[in-house]
Amino acid sequence: MSKDGVDPPNGIPVLRPRLPSAEDLLPYLRRIDENRVYANWGPLVTELEVRLSREWGLEAPTTTVAASGTAALVGTILATAGPARHDRPYALMPALTFSATAVAAELCGYRPYLSDVDPEEWMLSAERVAEHPMLDHVGVVVPVGAFGRPVSQEPWLDLRRRTGVPVVIDASASFDRILDAPDRCLGRIPVVISLHATKTFGTGEGGCVVCTDGELLADVVRALNYGFSSRRESEAPSLNGKMSEYSAAVGLASLDRWPETIGALRDVAARYRAAFDGAAVPGRLVVSPEVSACYALLESTRGQASQVEETLRRSGIDYRHWYGDGLHRQPQFAGAPRDDLSTTEDLAPRLIGLPLAPDLADETIARVARALGSG
Ligand SMILES: *Cc1c(COP(=O)(O)O)cnc(C)c1O
């Protein structure tokens, strides 16, 4: 399941998600056969949107689904801020995030402007953004819920009110953390969530946008569908970012099993905590509920990260720096204008993603703890 590498022979893969089985999908696929509707907000997509809204405790329509988290980000940036303008060419975002945040902003014509994160929160601070010297040139601010940490609406609503700068929250990895606190995390600022297979709740590829501002949500739907609203005429900047009925089938079957899935992932977090408790590990274990249940991280001690990596490699344990060394270290974004990024520079190499699967064996967790304890 390695995206950018080959799993070591007999090694432990860093992530092994489990989506619904063929049997689980069959009733939904049969409905597609009967409906003969495959796309364009068919009945399964519509049902998924209604059920997701209910999961947040909100009335439909507050959620729309998309082909991927990245497509959802593009559609939401276009609907909220429009494409970049000459006087506001920048999308302000943290350097500590997954590439997709910057990829989506570039697709809307923005230059990513990379800002540093708070050392405790690992996220942008709205107060600091409010005082940012470049704010007059920023067309959209994209705070990111680092490793699924929940982002509160309140400080960003306040920033938007005070400065008029549109905000889109990239909460791509936050599905489970948002469910724990929907009142705090959801509201009139649009929130983008990835439904990628590697996140806690997956449709394979997929995403969704949650927003209690009905007009803005309608604009997002339009931006995800060629800019069409009632007529088949493009009225606004857009893409085709719609989810297909087949992905919605996976989503509905995933939702049927959600309590089981999140239960299993939280159990893995508890078993990781128990195994690391008292073990002389060179760092701090970071698991759910501190981050999303799709991550088990070791925040390694300063200066020890490369030795930890070496130990894991030697032990045949796959690991991942989910955000690389920060966006500014990636060739595509290396030239992006940026602030001093000392916190990102310090944190990114020290945050090491450890193996995770809903059915991760006790024996595997013990092997990881043992390897790190002896490294
Ligand atoms: C996963 C992720 C995305 C991208 O989502 P896709 O569904 O893979 O397109 C964007 N931002 C962050 C922070 C993510 O973790």
Side-chain angles (χ1 to χ4, degrees):
M1 159 67 245
S2 239
K3 230 190 218 171
D4 52 11
V6 179
D7 295 331
N10 307 318
I12 305 168
V14 70
L15 187 62
R16 214 164 158 236
R18 188 173 53 198
L19 265 60
S21 66
E23 282 73 31
D24 294 338
L25 291 178
L26 211 53
Y28 292 105
L29 296 178
R30 293 230 158 88
R31 277 176 54 190
I32 297 178
D33 290 345
E34 280 158 31
N35 295 334
R36 292 178 63 180
V37 175
Y38 306 101
N40 295 11
W41 281 282
L44 274 70
V45 158
T46 305
E47 183 177 330
L48 180 60
E49 292 182 342
V50 170
R51 279 182 64 181
L52 285 172
S53 289
R54 277 198 206 121
E55 289 285 328
W56 322 122
L58 297 172
E59 292 294 318
T62 36
T63 306
T64 193
V65 293
S68 70
T70 306
L73 275 171
V74 171
T76 307
I77 293 171
L78 289 177
T80 309
R85 300 192 323 240
H86 289 299
D87 55 335
R88 290 189 179 266
Y90 298 126
L92 186 87
M93 64 184 66
L96 187 71
T97 181
F98 182 59
S99 316
T101 316
V103 166
E106 280 195 341
L107 283 170
C108 301
Y110 291 91
R111 278 197 88 187
Y113 187 104
L114 310 180
S115 202
D116 208 3
V117 294
D118 177 89
E120 303 302 320
E121 300 275 322
W122 304 349
M123 302 194 270
L124 288 186
S125 135
E127 289 81 58
R128 285 192 50 197
V129 170
E131 287 158 15
H132 200 284
M134 295 301 282
L135 203 56
D136 287 347
H137 305 286
V138 170
V140 62
V141 179
V142 191
V144 177
F147 302 97
R149 283 181 167 185
V151 177
S152 297
Q153 287 267 320
E154 189 47 43
W156 297 105
L157 275 168
D158 190 49
L159 176 95
R160 192 174 74 172
R161 211 178 299 124
R162 279 161 51 202
T163 65
V165 181
V167 179
V168 171
I169 296 175
D170 179 356
S172 282
S174 305
F175 187 91
D176 51 310
R177 299 300 291 113
I178 288 174
L179 273 181
D180 292 337
D183 293 347
R184 176 157 75 87
C185 299
L186 302 175
R188 296 179 67 80
I189 292 189
V191 174
V192 174
I193 304 169
S194 166
L195 307 181
H196 191 261
T198 51
K199 305 289 161 69
T200 39
F201 175 82
T203 58
E205 296 282 359
C208 71
V209 184
V210 192
C211 183
T212 59
D213 176 342
E215 260 174 59
L216 186 47
L217 189 75
D219 287 348
V220 172
V221 169
R222 183 176 67 170
L224 289 169
N225 187 35
Y226 311 106
F228 293 173
S229 44
S230 47
R231 290 172 303 172
R232 287 175 50 82
E233 277 173 13
S234 294
E235 297 171 353
S238 65
L239 76 160
N240 176 11
K242 303 192 294 297
M243 178 183 275
S244 102
E245 287 287 279
Y246 290 99
S247 292
V250 183
L252 289 168
S254 284
L255 215 42
D256 295 340
R257 302 178 7 159
W258 170 248
E260 193 188 312
T261 306
I262 189 63
L265 287 170
R266 289 200 170 134
D267 184 56
V268 172
R271 288 187 286 123
Y272 253 118
R273 269 196 299 271
F276 276 54
D277 190 27
V281 164
R284 187 174 76 90
L285 179 74
V286 184
V287 289
S288 162
E290 195 183 326
V291 290
S292 161
C294 66
Y295 298 105
L297 304 174
L298 182 76
E299 181 184 357
S300 66
T301 319
R302 273 195 190 85
Q304 300 251 332
S306 21
Q307 205 195 318
V308 167
E309 289 176 42
E310 175 57 29
T311 303
L312 292 170
R313 270 196 302 272
R314 250 198 349 256
S315 317
I317 298 166
D318 198 14
Y319 62 90
R320 181 81 40 90
H321 289 280
W322 290 106
Y323 299 159
D325 285 336
L327 288 178
H328 59 298
R329 296 289 173 199
Q330 306 195 26
Q332 177 67 12
F333 311 117
R338 62 199 208 214
D339 297 331
D340 172 79
L341 297 177
S342 21
T343 303
T344 301
E345 294 252 286
D346 168 55
L347 266 175
R350 293 198 291 118
L351 296 175
I352 299 172
L354 300 174
L356 195 76
D359 53 349
L360 200 67
D362 282 336
E363 161 52 27
T364 309
I365 295 174
R367 198 173 134 193
V368 176
R370 240 181 357 251
L372 290 171
S374 69

